[in-house]
Amino acid sequence: MERVVVSMQDPDQGVKMRSQRLLVTVIPHTVAGSDVVEWLAHKYCVSDEEALHLGALLVQHGYLYPLRDPPSLVLRSDDTPYRFQTPYFWTSTLWPAAELDYAIYLMKKNIRKQGALVGHEKEHCDQLHRKLSHMWDLVVMQAREQLRAAKQRRKGDRLVIACQEQTYWLVNRPPPGVPSILEQGPERSFCAAEGVQMIKNTEFYKREMERCRKALTRARVKSSVCLEAYLKFTSQHGPHDPIVSGCLPSNPWVTDDDTYWTMNAPSVAVPTKLRVERWGFSFQELLEDPVGRAHFMDFLRTEFSAENLSFWEACEELRHGGQAQIHATADAVYRQFLAPGAARWVNIDSQTMERTLRGLQQPHRYVLDDAQLHVYMLMKKDSYPRFLKSAAYKDLLAEAVIPPDAKRRVFPFMRKPPHSSPSPALLPASTSGEPVAVASGPECGDGDT
Amino acid sequence: MAREECKALLDALNKATACYHHLVLTVGGSADSQNLREELQKTRQKAQELAVATRAQLTAALRDRGLGAEERAEFERLWVAFSGCLDLLEADMRRALALGTAFPLHAPRRPLVRTGVAGGAAGVAARALSARSLRHEAEGDFDVDDLRELEREILQVSEMIHDMEMKVNVPRWTVQARQTAGAELLSSAGASSVGAVSVQERTGPCDLSKALAATVFSAVLLAAVALAVCVAKLS
């Protein structure tokens, strides 16, 4: 907006200026509303309506103020005279209007009108008196002095400056009922921000250099690689997503049948086939699923490397446990897994072991991170692929259950649907009307009413 | 007495700050010119000198342990007013810097905003410096150097404020201002009469229009009185 206002000032291409006559004083630099609209429409090649709206925004934000009826900040596209606001009073977020300044302004008004402040201004004045009571001396002194300083000017200038200040406070402290223009709209910064740089040039440039150097050493990934990974993820997980590919017994939110939830509960005796397939996607998926983790642990026991997973679980406990138990947990972990000759000694390379042992002198939450990562990578590279190829996994896949589709009711409107949402206090009851739950496995049987 | 001196210095600083505020209002507008920038510089330098002097006095007074409670309260009041004044001055100086950078006088890519304020502000600056009038003696390109000076001075003032906060511990909430809510109106009558006198002291171009209006009005009044006398005589 400031640029628009400044371009309006151009002596050749700017807005036509007139003069205002007040009894005997003549004050220059007035513009008529219609001139403003016309100039805006011409300069930015927009329709008249848009130019009117743009001009109205300028007036509302206080860059132009009407001379005849100051409290109403509207732009009328006729002869009503307006004037430009001085840059000191331009609305800016760098210098929001301060309470002290407002207090001084109200004080000046009070003095000029001999105590006849009305309505919201009087309330504000009282409020400020309470808030700034320790500075009230300063407020009064400054108000008096500013009035005296203003008297040194010509009458015309005095009028203009008074109008400017009044407009500024109308915009920044609007009377009740008028929407505050400052609460809306994007952040505007004073255009001169780039010029105001304090004399810290050398430090500023040093900081810039540091920043650029750090930016150079950032690890970068090609977007093609990222996108490939993303595509792979979505294509792999697509069939597993209940919203994208539908969920098999039925969507519980739609049919009020929570077979789906009971079948996919965290600890279920027979996992669904989709779930077992998911364990093959990545090691993280396997570890996150409690059933998967249990089966993996069984597998590792057959291979005599179960201490790896136990160590990993113990490290997780240390990381996510309470602060008070850190010492105790770290001690237990050391005694069980890391001490030479421990019961379940974990195979970690010597450097990591040294570092961990040193860190254990002052244990904190993340002291076992290196060792945990080493063991994790070991399991991922070594045991996990073997697990996926093992007979145990293949058996699991074969045994896994595919939840069948909910059979459609032949006569849907014969009976009132019996599965209107049961009260949460009852056990999760699968629908009695559906003849299908039989194949869903034993754990649903006790849910049947 | 120390208290009277401090009060006098504070009043002078207050006057200088108010005048500076008044001058900064017009930067970037149609009244902006070399002279204005020069007046700004003189005013703020005066304000800074006053600030340094006041601060020295007040710090000395407040550091003195042997003060009575009432005197101490008085000095604390003055201290709070002084620091508020200095804050106002610093804020105005920062704005002056930003505005001055945004509206350079020479090489006007940005022509000045036509705000309708056309007169000079020599009177205001003269009031700040307690001088009769002001001579303008700046060369061209004054504003660019002035801006650099201004940056340095802003840093000095911020340092001074920071020092003040560190060295003297005056909690703001214990200070009770002496003026009550309506106090400004009581002496405003006196102030306005003083103002009127000072306005009439100044002769200047604006008074010509006032004199013209006065003569026209008195002529009309005389004519009316003469007509009334004639009518009275005739009837």
Side-chain angles (χ1 to χ4, degrees), chain A residues 6 8-10 17 27 29 83 86-89 95 101 107 110-111 115 133-134 137-138 141-142 144-146 148-150 152-153 157 160-161 164 190 192 197-199, chain B residues 14-15 18 21-22 24-26 30 77 81 84-85 88 92 95 98-99 102-103 110 114-119 121 124 127 151 172 175 177-179 184-185 187 202:
Chain A
V6 166
M8 276 205 216
Q9 308 303 319
D10 197 42
M17 293 283 186
I27 311 181
H29 302 157
R83 195 170 278 134
T86 177
Y88 185 84
F89 283 141
W95 295 298
D101 291 330
M107 198 53 35
N110 211 3
I111 296 179
S133 61
H134 55 275
D137 283 343
L138 178 66
M141 283 193 328
Q142 269 288 308
R144 285 203 196 121
E145 278 303 326
Q146 283 188 9
R148 283 183 205 145
Q152 302 292 325
R153 285 197 183 263
D157 292 348
V160 170
I161 292 182
Q164 286 171 351
F190 206 98
Q197 248 186 49
M198 290 288 165
I199 311 175
Chain B
N14 189 38
K15 192 158 61 158
H21 171 82
H22 203 80
V24 177
L25 280 185
T26 48
S30 50
R77 234 178 26 87
C85 207
L88 283 175
D92 273 335
R95 283 176 104 140
L99 288 171
F103 292 95
R110 290 184 78 143
R114 285 179 275 180
T115 50
V117 180
V124 182
R127 187 187 164 77
E151 270 188 68
R172 299 255 185 298
V175 171
R178 200 186 262 173
Q179 316 264 11
E184 71 279 1
L185 298 172
S187 38
R202 276 186 56 245

Coordinates of all heavy atoms in Angstrom, one line a residue, chain A residues 6 8-10 17 27 29 83 86-89 95 101 107 110-111 115 133-134 137-138 141-142 144-146 148-150 152-153 157 160-161 164 190 192 197-199, chain B residues 14-15 18 21-22 24-26 30 77 81 84-85 88 92 95 98-99 102-103 110 114-119 121 124 127 151 172 175 177-179 184-185 187 202:
Chain A
V6 N 2.9 6.2 -2.5 CA 4.1 7.0 -2.9 C 4.0 7.3 -4.4 O 4.3 8.4 -4.9 CB 5.4 6.2 -2.6 CG1 6.5 6.9 -3.3 CG2 5.6 6.3 -1.1
M8 N 1.4 7.7 -6.0 CA 0.4 8.8 -6.2 C 1.0 10.1 -6.0 O 0.3 11.1 -6.4 CB -0.7 8.6 -5.1 CG -1.8 7.6 -5.5 SD -3.3 8.1 -4.6 CE -3.9 6.5 -4.2
Q9 N 2.1 10.2 -5.4 CA 2.7 11.5 -5.1 C 3.4 12.1 -6.3 O 3.8 13.2 -6.2 CB 3.7 11.4 -3.9 CG 3.1 10.8 -2.7 CD 1.9 11.5 -2.3 OE1 1.9 12.7 -2.3 NE2 0.9 10.7 -1.9
D10 N 3.7 11.3 -7.3 CA 4.5 11.7 -8.4 C 3.9 13.0 -8.9 O 2.8 13.1 -9.3 CB 4.5 10.6 -9.4 CG 5.6 10.8 -10.4 OD1 6.7 11.1 -10.0 OD2 5.3 10.6 -11.6
M17 N -3.9 17.4 -7.4 CA -4.1 18.0 -6.1 C -4.9 19.3 -6.1 O -4.7 20.1 -7.1 CB -2.7 18.3 -5.5 CG -1.9 17.1 -5.2 SD -2.5 16.3 -3.7 CE -1.3 15.0 -3.5
I27 N -5.1 25.5 2.8 CA -4.2 24.3 3.0 C -4.1 23.6 1.7 O -5.1 23.1 1.2 CB -4.7 23.4 4.1 CG1 -5.0 24.3 5.3 CG2 -3.6 22.4 4.5 CD1 -5.5 23.5 6.5
H29 N -2.7 20.5 -1.1 CA -2.6 19.0 -1.1 C -3.8 18.3 -0.6 O -3.8 17.5 0.3 CB -1.4 18.6 -0.2 CG -0.1 19.2 -0.6 ND1 0.9 19.3 0.3 CD2 0.3 19.7 -1.7 CE1 1.9 19.9 -0.3 NE2 1.6 20.1 -1.5
R83 N -7.0 13.8 2.3 CA -5.5 14.2 2.3 C -4.7 13.0 2.7 O -5.2 12.1 3.4 CB -5.4 15.3 3.4 CG -4.0 16.0 3.2 CD -3.9 17.3 4.0 NE -4.6 18.4 3.4 CZ -5.3 19.2 4.0 NH1 -5.6 19.1 5.3 NH2 -5.9 20.2 3.4
T86 N 0.8 11.5 7.0 CA 2.3 11.6 7.0 C 2.9 10.2 7.3 O 2.4 9.4 8.1 CB 2.7 12.6 8.1 OG1 4.1 12.6 8.2 CG2 2.2 12.2 9.4
P87 N 4.1 9.9 6.7 CA 4.7 8.6 6.9 C 4.9 8.2 8.3 O 4.9 7.0 8.7 CB 6.0 8.7 6.2 CG 5.8 9.8 5.2 CD 4.8 10.7 5.8
Y88 N 5.1 9.2 9.2 CA 5.3 8.8 10.7 C 4.1 8.0 11.2 O 4.2 7.1 12.0 CB 5.4 10.1 11.5 CG 5.8 9.8 12.9 CD1 7.1 9.6 13.3 CD2 4.8 9.9 13.9 CE1 7.4 9.4 14.6 CE2 5.1 9.7 15.2 CZ 6.4 9.5 15.6 OH 6.7 9.3 16.9
F89 N 2.9 8.3 10.7 CA 1.7 7.7 11.2 C 1.2 6.6 10.3 O 0.1 6.1 10.5 CB 0.6 8.7 11.3 CG 0.7 9.6 12.5 CD1 0.4 11.0 12.4 CD2 1.1 9.1 13.7 CE1 0.6 11.8 13.5 CE2 1.3 9.9 14.8 CZ 1.0 11.3 14.7
W95 N 6.2 -0.8 14.4 CA 5.9 0.0 15.6 C 4.5 0.1 15.9 O 3.8 1.0 15.4 CB 6.4 1.4 15.3 CG 7.9 1.5 15.0 CD1 8.8 1.2 15.9 CD2 8.5 1.9 13.9 NE1 10.1 1.4 15.4 CE2 9.9 1.9 14.1 CE3 8.1 2.3 12.6 CZ2 10.8 2.2 13.2 CZ3 9.0 2.7 11.7 CH2 10.4 2.6 12.0
D101 N 1.9 6.5 24.2 CA 1.5 7.5 23.2 C 0.0 7.8 23.2 O -0.4 8.9 23.1 CB 1.9 7.0 21.8 CG 3.4 6.9 21.7 OD1 4.1 7.7 22.4 OD2 3.9 6.1 20.9
M107 N -4.5 12.8 26.7 CA -4.3 13.9 27.6 C -4.3 15.2 26.9 O -4.9 16.2 27.3 CB -2.9 13.7 28.3 CG -2.6 14.5 29.5 SD -3.9 14.3 30.8 CE -4.4 12.7 30.6
N110 N -7.8 16.1 26.1 CA -8.5 16.5 27.3 C -8.2 18.0 27.6 O -9.1 18.8 27.9 CB -8.0 15.6 28.5 CG -9.0 15.4 29.5 OD1 -10.2 15.9 29.4 ND2 -8.7 14.8 30.6
I111 N -6.9 18.3 27.5 CA -6.5 19.7 27.8 C -7.2 20.6 26.8 O -7.7 21.7 27.2 CB -5.0 19.8 27.7 CG1 -4.4 19.0 28.8 CG2 -4.6 21.3 27.9 CD1 -2.9 19.1 28.8
G115 N -11.6 19.0 29.4 CA -12.2 17.9 30.1 C -13.4 17.3 29.5 O -14.2 16.6 30.2
S133 N -0.2 4.5 36.1 CA -0.2 5.5 37.2 C 1.2 6.0 37.6 O 1.3 7.1 37.9 CB -1.0 5.0 38.4 OG -0.3 3.9 38.9
H134 N 2.2 5.1 37.4 CA 3.5 5.6 37.8 C 4.1 6.5 36.8 O 5.0 7.3 37.2 CB 4.4 4.4 38.0 CG 4.5 3.5 36.8 ND1 3.6 2.5 36.6 CD2 5.4 3.5 35.8 CE1 3.9 1.9 35.4 NE2 5.0 2.5 34.9
D137 N 2.9 11.4 35.6 CA 3.6 12.7 35.6 C 4.1 13.0 34.2 O 4.0 14.0 33.6 CB 4.8 12.7 36.5 CG 4.3 12.9 37.9 OD1 3.2 13.3 38.1 OD2 5.1 12.6 38.9
L138 N 4.8 11.9 33.7 CA 5.4 12.1 32.4 C 4.4 12.4 31.3 O 4.6 13.2 30.4 CB 6.2 10.8 32.0 CG 6.8 10.8 30.6 CD1 7.9 11.9 30.6 CD2 7.4 9.5 30.3
M141 N 3.2 16.0 31.6 CA 4.2 16.9 31.1 C 4.4 16.9 29.6 O 4.5 17.9 29.0 CB 5.6 16.5 31.8 CG 5.7 16.9 33.2 SD 7.3 16.8 34.0 CE 8.2 15.5 33.2
Q142 N 4.5 15.7 29.1 CA 4.7 15.5 27.6 C 3.5 16.1 26.9 O 3.7 16.8 25.8 CB 4.8 14.1 27.2 CG 6.2 13.5 27.2 CD 7.0 14.1 26.0 OE1 6.6 14.0 24.9 NE2 8.1 14.6 26.3
R144 N 1.5 18.5 27.8 CA 1.5 20.0 27.8 C 2.6 20.5 26.8 O 2.4 21.4 26.1 CB 1.8 20.5 29.2 CG 0.7 20.4 30.1 CD 0.8 21.3 31.3 NE -0.1 20.9 32.3 CZ 0.3 20.6 33.5 NH1 1.5 20.7 33.9 NH2 -0.6 20.3 34.4
E145 N 3.8 19.9 26.9 CA 4.9 20.3 26.1 C 4.6 20.2 24.6 O 4.9 21.0 23.8 CB 6.2 19.6 26.4 CG 6.9 20.1 27.6 CD 7.2 21.6 27.5 OE1 7.5 22.0 26.3 OE2 7.1 22.3 28.5
Q146 N 3.9 19.1 24.2 CA 3.6 18.8 22.8 C 2.7 19.9 22.3 O 2.8 20.4 21.2 CB 3.1 17.4 22.6 CG 4.2 16.4 22.6 CD 3.8 15.0 22.2 OE1 2.7 14.8 21.7 NE2 4.7 14.1 22.4
R148 N 2.4 22.9 23.5 CA 3.1 24.1 23.3 C 4.0 24.1 22.1 O 4.1 25.2 21.4 CB 4.0 24.4 24.6 CG 3.2 24.9 25.7 CD 4.0 25.2 26.9 NE 3.2 25.1 28.1 CZ 3.7 24.6 29.3 NH1 5.0 24.2 29.3 NH2 2.9 24.5 30.3
A149 N 4.6 23.0 21.8 CA 5.5 22.9 20.6 C 4.6 23.1 19.4 O 5.0 23.8 18.4 CB 6.2 21.6 20.6
A150 N 3.4 22.5 19.4 CA 2.6 22.7 18.2 C 2.2 24.1 18.0 O 2.0 24.5 16.8 CB 1.3 21.8 18.4
Q152 N 3.9 26.6 18.0 CA 4.9 27.3 17.3 C 4.7 27.3 15.8 O 5.4 28.0 15.1 CB 6.3 26.7 17.6 CG 6.7 26.7 19.0 CD 6.9 28.0 19.6 OE1 7.4 28.9 18.9 NE2 6.5 28.2 20.8
R153 N 3.8 26.5 15.3 CA 3.6 26.4 13.9 C 2.5 27.3 13.4 O 1.7 27.7 14.2 CB 3.2 25.0 13.5 CG 4.4 24.0 13.6 CD 4.0 22.8 12.8 NE 5.0 21.8 12.9 CZ 5.9 21.6 11.9 NH1 5.9 22.4 10.9 NH2 6.8 20.7 12.0
D157 N -0.8 24.4 9.5 CA 0.0 23.2 9.8 C -0.5 22.6 11.0 O -0.6 21.3 11.1 CB 1.5 23.6 10.0 CG 2.1 24.1 8.7 OD1 1.5 23.8 7.7 OD2 3.2 24.6 8.8
V160 N -3.5 20.6 10.2 CA -3.2 19.3 9.5 C -2.7 18.3 10.4 O -3.0 17.1 10.4 CB -2.2 19.7 8.4 CG1 -1.7 18.4 7.7 CG2 -2.9 20.5 7.3
I161 N -1.7 18.7 11.3 CA -1.1 17.7 12.2 C -2.1 17.2 13.1 O -2.1 16.0 13.4 CB 0.1 18.4 12.9 CG1 1.2 18.7 11.9 CG2 0.6 17.5 14.0 CD1 2.4 19.3 12.5
Q164 N -4.1 14.6 11.3 CA -3.3 13.4 11.1 C -3.3 12.5 12.3 O -3.5 11.3 12.3 CB -1.8 13.8 10.7 CG -1.7 14.3 9.4 CD -0.3 14.9 9.1 OE1 0.5 15.0 10.0 NE2 0.0 15.2 7.9
F190 N 7.3 -2.2 7.1 CA 7.7 -0.9 6.6 C 8.8 -1.1 5.5 O 9.7 -1.8 5.8 CB 8.3 0.0 7.7 CG 8.2 1.4 7.4 CD1 7.1 2.2 7.9 CD2 9.1 2.1 6.7 CE1 7.0 3.5 7.7 CE2 9.0 3.4 6.4 CZ 7.9 4.1 6.9
A192 N 11.2 0.2 4.4 CA 12.6 0.7 4.6 C 13.4 -0.3 5.5 O 14.5 -0.1 5.9 CB 12.7 2.0 5.3
Q197 N 20.1 -1.2 9.0 CA 21.0 -2.2 9.5 C 22.0 -1.5 10.4 O 22.7 -0.7 10.0 CB 21.8 -2.8 8.3 CG 21.4 -4.2 8.0 CD 22.3 -4.7 7.0 OE1 23.5 -4.5 7.1 NE2 21.8 -5.3 5.9
M198 N 21.9 -1.8 11.6 CA 22.8 -1.2 12.6 C 24.3 -1.5 12.2 O 24.6 -2.4 11.5 CB 22.5 -1.7 14.0 CG 21.2 -1.2 14.4 SD 21.3 0.6 14.8 CE 19.6 1.0 14.9
I199 N 25.2 -0.7 12.8 CA 26.6 -0.9 12.4 C 27.1 -2.2 13.1 O 27.9 -2.1 14.0 CB 27.4 0.3 12.9 CG1 26.8 1.6 12.5 CG2 28.8 0.2 12.3 CD1 27.5 2.8 13.0
Chain B
N14 N 12.2 17.1 28.8 CA 10.8 16.9 28.4 C 10.4 17.8 27.2 O 9.9 17.3 26.2 CB 9.9 17.2 29.6 CG 8.5 16.7 29.3 OD1 8.3 15.7 28.7 ND2 7.5 17.6 29.7
K15 N 10.8 19.0 27.3 CA 10.5 20.0 26.3 C 11.2 19.6 25.0 O 10.6 19.5 23.9 CB 11.0 21.4 26.7 CG 10.5 22.5 25.8 CD 10.5 23.8 26.5 CE 11.9 24.2 26.9 NZ 12.0 25.6 27.1
A18 N 9.5 16.6 23.4 CA 8.2 16.9 22.8 C 8.5 17.6 21.4 O 7.8 17.3 20.4 CB 7.4 17.8 23.7
H21 N 9.6 15.1 18.9 CA 8.5 14.3 18.4 C 7.7 15.0 17.4 O 7.4 14.5 16.3 CB 7.6 13.9 19.6 CG 6.3 13.3 19.2 ND1 6.2 12.0 18.9 CD2 5.0 13.9 19.0 CE1 4.9 11.7 18.6 NE2 4.2 12.8 18.7
H22 N 7.5 16.3 17.7 CA 6.8 17.1 16.7 C 7.5 17.3 15.4 O 6.8 17.3 14.3 CB 6.6 18.5 17.4 CG 5.4 19.2 16.8 ND1 4.1 19.0 17.2 CD2 5.4 20.2 15.8 CE1 3.4 19.8 16.5 NE2 4.1 20.5 15.7
V24 N 9.7 15.1 14.1 CA 9.7 13.8 13.4 C 8.4 13.5 12.7 O 8.4 12.8 11.7 CB 10.1 12.6 14.4 CG1 10.1 11.3 13.7 CG2 11.4 12.9 15.0
L25 N 7.3 14.0 13.2 CA 6.0 13.8 12.6 C 6.1 14.2 11.1 O 5.4 13.6 10.3 CB 5.0 14.7 13.2 CG 4.4 14.2 14.5 CD1 3.3 15.2 14.9 CD2 3.8 12.9 14.4
T26 N 6.9 15.2 10.8 CA 6.8 15.7 9.4 C 7.8 15.2 8.5 O 7.8 15.5 7.3 CB 6.9 17.3 9.4 OG1 8.0 17.6 10.2 CG2 5.7 17.9 10.0
S30 N 5.5 16.7 3.1 CA 5.8 17.8 2.2 C 6.7 18.8 2.8 O 7.3 19.7 2.2 CB 4.5 18.5 1.7 OG 3.7 18.7 2.8
R77 N 10.4 9.2 41.7 CA 9.4 9.7 40.7 C 10.1 10.3 39.5 O 9.7 10.1 38.4 CB 8.5 10.7 41.4 CG 7.0 10.5 41.4 CD 6.3 11.5 42.1 NE 6.9 12.8 42.3 CZ 6.8 13.7 41.4 NH1 6.2 13.6 40.3 NH2 7.5 14.9 41.6
A81 N 10.0 9.2 35.5 CA 9.7 10.1 34.4 C 10.8 10.2 33.5 O 10.6 10.2 32.2 CB 9.3 11.4 35.0
G84 N 11.1 7.1 31.3 CA 10.0 7.1 30.3 C 10.3 8.1 29.1 O 10.2 7.8 28.0
C85 N 10.8 9.3 29.5 CA 11.1 10.3 28.5 C 12.2 9.8 27.6 O 12.2 10.0 26.4 CB 11.6 11.5 29.3 SG 11.4 13.0 28.4
L88 N 10.8 7.4 25.1 CA 10.1 8.0 24.0 C 11.1 8.6 23.0 O 10.9 8.5 21.8 CB 9.3 9.2 24.6 CG 8.0 8.8 25.3 CD1 7.4 10.1 25.9 CD2 7.0 8.2 24.3
D92 N 11.4 7.6 19.1 CA 11.3 8.6 18.0 C 12.6 8.7 17.2 O 12.5 8.8 15.9 CB 11.1 10.0 18.6 CG 9.6 10.3 18.9 OD1 8.8 9.7 18.2 OD2 9.3 11.1 19.8
R95 N 12.4 5.8 14.7 CA 11.5 6.1 13.6 C 12.1 7.1 12.7 O 11.9 7.0 11.5 CB 10.2 6.6 14.2 CG 9.4 5.4 14.8 CD 8.1 5.9 15.4 NE 7.0 5.7 14.5 CZ 5.8 5.3 14.9 NH1 5.6 5.1 16.2 NH2 4.9 5.1 14.1
A98 N 14.4 5.3 10.4 CA 13.7 4.5 9.3 C 13.1 5.4 8.3 O 13.2 5.2 7.1 CB 12.6 3.6 9.9
L99 N 12.4 6.5 8.7 CA 11.8 7.4 7.8 C 12.8 8.1 6.9 O 12.6 8.3 5.7 CB 10.9 8.4 8.5 CG 9.7 7.9 9.2 CD1 9.0 8.9 10.0 CD2 8.7 7.4 8.1
A102 N 14.0 5.9 4.3 CA 13.0 5.6 3.3 C 12.7 6.8 2.4 O 12.3 6.6 1.3 CB 11.7 5.2 4.0
F103 N 12.9 8.0 2.9 CA 12.6 9.2 2.1 C 13.9 10.0 2.0 O 14.0 11.1 2.6 CB 11.5 10.0 2.8 CG 10.2 9.4 2.7 CD1 9.8 8.6 3.8 CD2 9.4 9.4 1.6 CE1 8.6 8.0 3.8 CE2 8.2 8.8 1.6 CZ 7.7 8.1 2.7
R110 N 11.8 8.2 -4.4 CA 10.5 8.3 -3.7 C 10.3 9.8 -3.4 O 10.8 10.3 -2.5 CB 10.7 7.6 -2.4 CG 10.8 6.1 -2.5 CD 10.8 5.6 -1.1 NE 9.5 5.6 -0.5 CZ 9.0 4.6 0.3 NH1 9.8 3.6 0.6 NH2 7.8 4.6 0.8
R114 N 2.8 14.2 -0.2 CA 2.2 15.6 0.0 C 1.2 15.6 1.0 O 0.0 15.2 0.8 CB 1.7 16.0 -1.4 CG 2.8 16.4 -2.4 CD 2.2 16.7 -3.7 NE 2.0 15.6 -4.5 CZ 1.5 15.6 -5.7 NH1 1.2 16.8 -6.3 NH2 1.3 14.5 -6.4
T115 N 1.5 16.0 2.2 CA 0.6 15.9 3.3 C -0.1 17.2 3.7 O -0.9 17.3 4.5 CB 1.4 15.5 4.6 OG1 2.5 16.4 4.7 CG2 1.9 14.1 4.5
G116 N 0.3 18.3 3.0 CA -0.4 19.5 3.3 C 0.3 20.4 4.4 O -0.1 21.5 4.7
V117 N 1.4 19.8 4.9 CA 2.1 20.6 5.9 C 3.2 21.4 5.2 O 4.1 20.8 4.6 CB 2.8 19.7 7.0 CG1 3.5 20.6 8.0 CG2 1.7 18.9 7.6
A118 N 3.1 22.7 5.1 CA 4.0 23.4 4.3 C 5.0 24.3 5.0 O 6.0 24.7 4.5 CB 3.2 24.2 3.2
G119 N 4.7 24.6 6.2 CA 5.5 25.6 6.9 C 6.8 25.1 7.4 O 7.0 23.9 7.5
A121 N 9.6 24.6 10.5 CA 9.4 24.2 11.9 C 10.5 24.9 12.7 O 10.9 24.3 13.8 CB 9.5 22.7 12.1
V124 N 9.7 25.5 16.3 CA 9.7 24.3 17.3 C 11.1 24.0 17.7 O 11.4 23.8 18.9 CB 9.1 23.1 16.5 CG1 9.0 22.0 17.5 CG2 7.7 23.5 16.0
R127 N 12.4 26.5 20.1 CA 11.8 26.3 21.5 C 12.6 25.2 22.2 O 12.9 25.3 23.4 CB 10.4 25.9 21.3 CG 9.7 25.8 22.6 CD 8.3 25.3 22.5 NE 7.8 24.9 23.8 CZ 7.4 25.7 24.7 NH1 7.3 27.0 24.4 NH2 7.0 25.3 25.8
E151 N 22.3 6.8 13.6 CA 22.5 5.4 14.0 C 23.4 5.3 15.3 O 23.0 4.6 16.2 CB 23.2 4.6 12.9 CG 22.2 4.0 11.9 CD 23.0 3.1 11.0 OE1 23.4 2.1 11.4 OE2 23.1 3.4 9.8
R172 N 9.2 0.0 39.4 CA 8.2 1.0 38.9 C 6.9 1.0 39.7 O 6.2 2.0 39.8 CB 7.9 0.7 37.5 CG 9.0 0.7 36.5 CD 8.9 2.0 35.7 NE 9.9 2.0 34.6 CZ 11.2 2.1 34.8 NH1 11.7 1.9 36.0 NH2 12.0 2.2 33.8
V175 N 6.3 3.5 42.7 CA 6.3 4.9 42.5 C 4.9 5.4 42.3 O 4.1 4.9 41.5 CB 7.1 5.3 41.2 CG1 7.0 6.7 40.9 CG2 8.6 5.0 41.5
A177 N 2.6 8.5 41.2 CA 2.7 9.8 40.5 C 2.0 10.8 41.3 O 1.0 10.6 42.0 CB 2.1 9.7 39.1
R178 N 2.4 12.0 41.2 CA 1.9 13.1 42.0 C 0.6 13.6 41.3 O -0.3 14.1 42.0 CB 2.9 14.2 42.1 CG 2.5 15.1 43.3 CD 3.4 16.2 43.4 NE 4.5 16.0 44.3 CZ 5.5 16.8 44.5 NH1 5.6 17.8 43.7 NH2 6.5 16.5 45.3
Q179 N 0.5 13.6 40.0 CA -0.6 14.2 39.4 C -1.8 13.3 39.4 O -1.6 12.1 39.1 CB -0.3 14.5 37.9 CG 1.1 15.1 37.7 CD 1.0 16.6 37.6 OE1 0.0 17.1 37.9 NE2 2.1 17.2 37.2
E184 N -4.3 17.9 35.0 CA -3.8 18.7 33.9 C -4.8 19.8 33.5 O -4.4 20.8 33.0 CB -3.6 17.8 32.6 CG -4.9 17.3 32.0 CD -5.4 16.1 32.7 OE1 -4.9 15.7 33.7 OE2 -6.5 15.7 32.3
L185 N -6.0 19.7 33.9 CA -7.0 20.7 33.6 C -6.9 21.9 34.5 O -7.1 23.0 34.0 CB -8.4 20.2 33.7 CG -8.7 19.0 32.7 CD1 -10.1 18.4 33.1 CD2 -8.6 19.5 31.3
S187 N -4.2 23.5 35.7 CA -3.2 24.5 35.3 C -3.3 24.7 33.8 O -2.5 25.4 33.3 CB -1.8 24.0 35.8 OG -1.7 22.7 35.6
R202 N 5.1 36.2 18.5 CA 5.7 35.9 17.2 C 5.0 36.7 16.1 O 3.8 36.7 16.0 CB 5.6 34.4 16.9 CG 6.7 33.6 17.5 CD 6.5 32.2 17.0 NE 6.5 32.1 15.5 CZ 5.5 31.7 14.8 NH1 4.4 31.4 15.3 NH2 5.7 31.7 13.5

